[in-house]
Amino acid sequence: MKIKYNLIKKNTYKKYLDINIKNSYNVNKKIDEESLGIIKFYNDDLINKVIKKKIDTKFKYILELMVKIEEDDSDPSEGLMICLNELERLKKEFINKYRKFLDKKRQEFIEKKIAILESEIKMKLFNMQIIRNPIIMSEDNNYEYEEEEEKESTRRR
């Protein structure tokens, strides 16, 4: 007994999307030690998720660096300056690389996160400067930093 199958082709229309290759988001993927592969994303949702993940990992790195500096016994002002430089690098990278791929709402959210973190780091640096050099108010209502002067010993016999 032989079984026969009939294939029936239905006339359906298929929709095609024009993909503009110029608007793709490229990610370099390391395949081997020698070769690099390029992954191109065209879907806006995937592009948003990939960029969000990259930016979140960089934020996490900066926050971990800040926590490590706070726990360290050495002078935290140098470490906070490094954090500020890393944040500035992230800000420039966001403007140059990622801004054109994200929608307006996501751009504003990331810019707010950067601004909040930047103001927090600057506030910590400012507080450290105040602790080291207290501000005193002069007679003409101007704020001045009290500078430590070297005291010379004038002891005599």
Side-chain angles (χ1 to χ4, degrees):
M1 179 173 172
K2 289 187 175 181
I3 300 175
K4 293 184 179 181
Y5 295 101
N6 289 333
L7 296 176
I8 300 171
K9 182 178 178 183
K10 295 182 180 179
N11 292 333
T12 58
Y13 294 104
K14 302 210 179 206
K15 294 182 181 178
Y16 295 100
L17 298 174
D18 291 332
I19 298 175
N20 191 355
I21 295 177
K22 294 178 184 175
N23 293 336
S24 68
Y25 176 70
N26 300 332
V27 176
N28 293 332
K29 183 72 175 172
K30 196 169 191 178
I31 298 172
D32 294 332
E33 293 178 3
E34 300 172 359
S35 64
L36 283 175
I38 296 176
I39 301 173
K40 294 186 177 192
F41 292 101
Y42 299 102
N43 189 353
D44 292 335
D45 293 335
L46 285 176
I47 292 172
N48 282 336
K49 288 178 183 177
V50 169
I51 291 175
K52 180 184 179 294
K53 186 173 181 179
K54 280 190 169 197
I55 290 177
D56 284 345
T57 55
K58 291 178 184 179
F59 270 118
K60 186 176 178 182
Y61 169 73
I62 293 171
L63 291 173
E64 286 175 355
L65 190 61
M66 284 178 61
V67 168
K68 190 184 295 184
I69 291 166
E70 292 291 326
E71 292 175 353
D72 197 12
D73 293 335
S74 65
D75 185 28
S77 63
E78 295 173 9
L80 287 174
M81 288 301 291
I82 292 171
C83 288
L84 198 60
N85 289 340
E86 288 291 324
L87 190 64
E88 189 66 30
R89 181 182 299 152
L90 174 64
K91 187 176 182 180
K92 297 289 184 191
E93 186 177 355
F94 171 71
I95 290 171
N96 293 332
K97 282 186 182 180
Y98 305 129
R99 190 176 192 137
K100 61 184 174 184
F101 295 110
L102 297 175
D103 55 349
K104 191 77 168 174
K105 185 178 177 183
R106 176 83 56 186
Q107 286 177 11
E108 291 173 357
F109 180 71
I110 293 173
E111 288 171 355
K112 284 180 184 178
K113 281 173 68 173
I114 291 173
I116 289 170
L117 194 57
E118 185 176 15
S119 66
E120 185 69 28
I121 293 172
K122 286 181 179 178
M123 185 61 73
K124 286 184 180 185
L125 283 170
F126 185 69
N127 288 339
M128 291 178 60
Q129 185 178 9
I130 288 176
I131 290 170
R132 288 190 187 143
N133 300 326
I135 298 175
I136 58 170
M137 192 167 178
S138 64
E139 295 172 3
D140 53 349
N141 292 335
N142 290 332
Y143 294 103
E144 298 176 0
Y145 287 104
E146 180 182 322
E147 298 182 16
E148 295 179 9
E149 298 177 9
E150 294 182 19
K151 297 180 181 179
E152 294 181 20
S153 177
T154 56
R155 285 180 80 183
R156 295 185 185 171
R157 283 189 193 193

